[in-house]
Amino acid sequence: MNVFLWALISAPLIQQDSIEKKLLDYKCNKEIPSVIERQTLIALSHYPELKNTRIRFIFTRKLKRSVMAARPMISSLLKKREKRTYDVLINPVFKLEHSFETIRQIPDSVMIGWIGHELGHIMDYENKSTWGILGFGISYGFSKKFIRKAERIADRFAVERGLGEHLVATKSFILDHTELPLAYQEKIAALYLSPDDIVELVAELETEEDENKKEKRLLKEENVIHEAESELNEGQAPAS
């Protein structure tokens, strides 16, 4: 086979293999069901701060009112913050109006966004003390206003980490799914950012990033001018 042709064919395969190996770096201290491993590792790759954090992704049918939930392992709250363990509980089956749908049937982008949102909760927990997490759990159980705030904080973490497109896919999947229970869809619409909200947040963060880059560029230019002026002044100073 022509060497040039072989290079064209093999280059994408080599690049893909390199990407897969890099994703495995995010498997440290993680327990992940094989069926969702790749989507989970992609979501984790957007959170380098959680690279060594202990997280267990667990399939369970005990979740009744949600599909996923991120929680600290209670016993680990007695340890130092860096020794905590978090559980991301995942219901492997979606109960639809007239049938069931398994986790295998969820599009990759939707799954990545869903997991990315839960990792946003873990980022929020990481910023809290043990007492802060306990207070969070109590408030979450009794206040819809608090739930709305907590869920939007998790969404913001995900958007800031570059998962906006995946979050939009997740929210659209839920809100547009004709077979998902209406009560669940209404809950998501009321308590979480909508796809339009996420798009606006992405645009807002991009604007902030552009402004920060502009400020840094202007500051750098000012420093260059200041250095040049200092050199000129030194060169023009009369000899003593």
Side-chain angles (χ1 to χ4, degrees), residues 1 6 9 11 20 39 46 52 65 80 84 94 103 108 116 137 156 163 170 173 195 198 215 217-218 234:
M1 182 183 290
W6 170 252
I9 295 172
E20 296 296 331
Q39 299 97 317
H46 288 265
N52 296 311
R65 293 184 295 176
K80 292 181 179 179
R84 287 177 184 168
F94 293 81
I103 210 79
D108 285 351
R156 187 176 181 90
L163 286 165
T170 304
F173 173 83
I198 294 169
E215 287 180 7
R217 188 180 71 252
L218 290 174
E234 288 175 4

Side-chain angles (χ1 to χ4, degrees), residues 78 112 115 119 124 202 209 212 223:
L78 301 175
I112 293 167
I115 293 170
L119 294 175
D124 192 20
V202 170
E209 185 177 341
N212 288 335
N223 288 336

Side-chain angles (χ1 to χ4, degrees), residues 12-13 28 56 59 61 79 90 137 156 170 190 208 210 228 234 238:
L13 297 176
C28 178
R56 306 185 305 175
F59 284 154
R61 296 297 303 279
K79 302 176 182 179
I90 304 169
R156 187 176 181 90
T170 304
E208 289 178 5
D210 289 342
E234 288 175 4

Side-chain angles (χ1 to χ4, degrees), residues 88-102:
V88 176
L89 306 179
I90 304 169
N91 194 329
V93 177
F94 293 81
K95 185 178 180 182
L96 305 178
E97 290 289 353
H98 304 292
S99 62
F100 291 90
E101 196 168 285
T102 70

Side-chain angles (χ1 to χ4, degrees), residues 30-41:
K30 310 295 186 295
E31 294 179 24
I32 309 171
S34 59
V35 69
I36 60 167
E37 181 175 277
R38 191 171 188 279
Q39 299 97 317
T40 302
L41 290 176

Side-chain angles (χ1 to χ4, degrees), residues 66-183:
S66 59
V67 175
M68 294 189 194
R71 301 169 182 171
M73 189 175 174
I74 299 301
S75 60
S76 75
L77 290 178
L78 301 175
K79 302 176 182 179
K80 292 181 179 179
R81 189 172 305 196
E82 59 270 19
K83 296 291 185 181
R84 287 177 184 168
T85 297
Y86 300 96
D87 290 338
V88 176
L89 306 179
I90 304 169
N91 194 329
V93 177
F94 293 81
K95 185 178 180 182
L96 305 178
E97 290 289 353
H98 304 292
S99 62
F100 291 90
E101 196 168 285
T102 70
I103 210 79
R104 292 179 185 275
Q105 296 168 276
I106 305 302
D108 285 351
S109 187
V110 173
M111 182 59 63
I112 293 167
W114 226 319
I115 293 170
H117 170 84
E118 298 305 327
L119 294 175
H121 280 301
I122 293 177
M123 286 292 296
D124 192 20
Y125 298 148
E126 285 280 84
N127 293 327
K128 300 182 186 300
S129 66
T130 297
W131 288 110
I133 289 178
L134 293 175
F136 176 96
I138 293 170
S139 298
Y140 196 95
F142 291 98
S143 170
K144 284 188 176 181
K145 183 178 180 180
F146 186 87
I147 293 173
R148 187 179 297 109
K149 179 182 177 182
E151 297 301 341
R152 295 184 178 212
I153 287 174
D155 276 340
R156 187 176 181 90
F157 269 117
V159 171
E160 288 174 345
R161 296 310 183 280
L163 286 165
E165 182 179 339
H166 295 294
L167 273 187
V168 169
T170 304
K171 302 305 170 78
S172 297
F173 173 83
I174 295 170
L175 298 175
D176 297 340
H177 201 305
T178 57
E179 286 292 309
L180 278 173
L182 181 59

